[in-house]
Amino acid sequence: MELKPAHLPKGFGQTRGSEHEVWLSDDKLRVIKATHAGEFGRKFGPDRFATLGEYLERIRLLNEEFAVGWQIEGICGEGRSQRIITSQPAYHGKPPTLTEIRQFMLERSFKLHKTRFGDAWFRKEDGLLISDAEPKNAALTTNGIMPFDFLITRPALELLKTALIQ
C-alpha cells in the first residue's frame, strides 16, 4: 500500500499515549492519531514495536473484526521522524470494565491465555490474537463495546508456540 502525504493537526495533541499523539477533530466527530516519530505502534510478543506493515495490518484486521472505522490518512516526515496519520470515529461513552471486555471477547469465541507477554485472547478458528484488551483501549457506547485500539494480529505459529498458546 502506498501512503499519501499527510499533515499533522495544528498544535500539540490533546493526549499522548504509548503509541499515538491524539487530537479531536474540530467537529468533534473524529479522533486523529499520529504514531510517535519513527515508530509504528506496539505488537504482541518479545519484540514489542511493530513495523509499518504490521501496523497497517493491525488497522485492517481491527476494521474487519470490529468495524471501528479506522482510516489511514497518510504519512508525514521522513526517516526517524516519520509518522503515520490515521483517524477514526470519536466513540463517546465510558471505558468498559475488564469483566465487560471479558464477556465481549468470550461472545466472539476468543479464549483468554495468560502468557509471558501478558494476557492475550486467541481464536483458533481463524488464528486471530488480540492483546492489550484493556478499558483504556475501548469505549462502552450505547451500541455496546467498541474496541478502538486493541492490538490484533494473525501471529506466526512460532510466536504462538513461544507464547504457549495451544
Side-chain angles (χ1 to χ4, degrees):
M1 161 186 258
E2 188 168 329
L3 298 172
K4 64 182 180 182
H7 299 283
L8 289 171
K10 293 188 186 326
F12 293 106
Q14 284 98 352
T15 10
R16 185 174 172 88
S18 65
E19 296 183 286
H20 305 101
E21 187 173 2
V22 181
W23 295 259
L24 188 59
S25 65
D26 291 339
D27 61 9
K28 299 188 178 8
L29 296 177
R30 293 195 69 79
V31 172
I32 300 152
K33 299 162 81 170
T35 58
H36 297 311
E39 296 180 9
F40 304 111
R42 304 285 187 262
K43 69 177 185 177
F44 177 81
D47 179 9
R48 300 290 295 170
F49 292 96
T51 64
L52 174 58
E54 290 166 334
Y55 183 72
L56 297 176
E57 177 70 357
R58 170 182 160 195
I59 292 170
R60 186 185 70 75
L61 288 171
L62 204 64
N63 282 330
E64 282 180 9
E65 185 65 25
F66 300 113
V68 298
W70 198 354
Q71 297 175 350
I72 300 164
E73 302 297 335
I75 193 165
C76 73
E78 295 178 18
R80 294 184 136 180
S81 65
Q82 194 172 62
R83 300 174 81 173
I84 304 300
I85 312 299
T86 61
S87 70
Q88 58 188 194
Y91 294 105
H92 300 286
K94 63 179 185 173
T97 65
L98 285 173
T99 301
E100 290 167 329
I101 291 172
R102 178 181 172 79
Q103 185 61 37
F104 175 82
M105 297 302 287
L106 290 172
E107 287 170 359
R108 285 151 185 80
S109 302
F110 285 90
K111 182 179 175 190
L112 179 62
H113 295 268
K114 303 283 185 180
T115 78
R116 65 186 190 137
F117 308 118
D119 289 353
W121 292 91
F122 184 67
R123 189 167 61 201
K124 190 174 185 177
E125 296 76 32
D126 58 5
L128 277 180
L129 182 137
I130 295 176
S131 59
D132 210 18
E134 301 289 333
K136 66 181 179 177
N137 294 324
L140 181 57
T141 71
T142 56
N143 295 322
I145 292 177
M146 183 51 67
F148 58 80
D149 210 15
F150 287 3
L151 303 181
I152 184 170
T153 188
R154 281 200 172 91
L157 182 58
E158 192 57 39
L159 178 58
L160 291 177
K161 287 179 181 177
T162 302
L164 301 177
I165 297 175
Q166 313 261 326

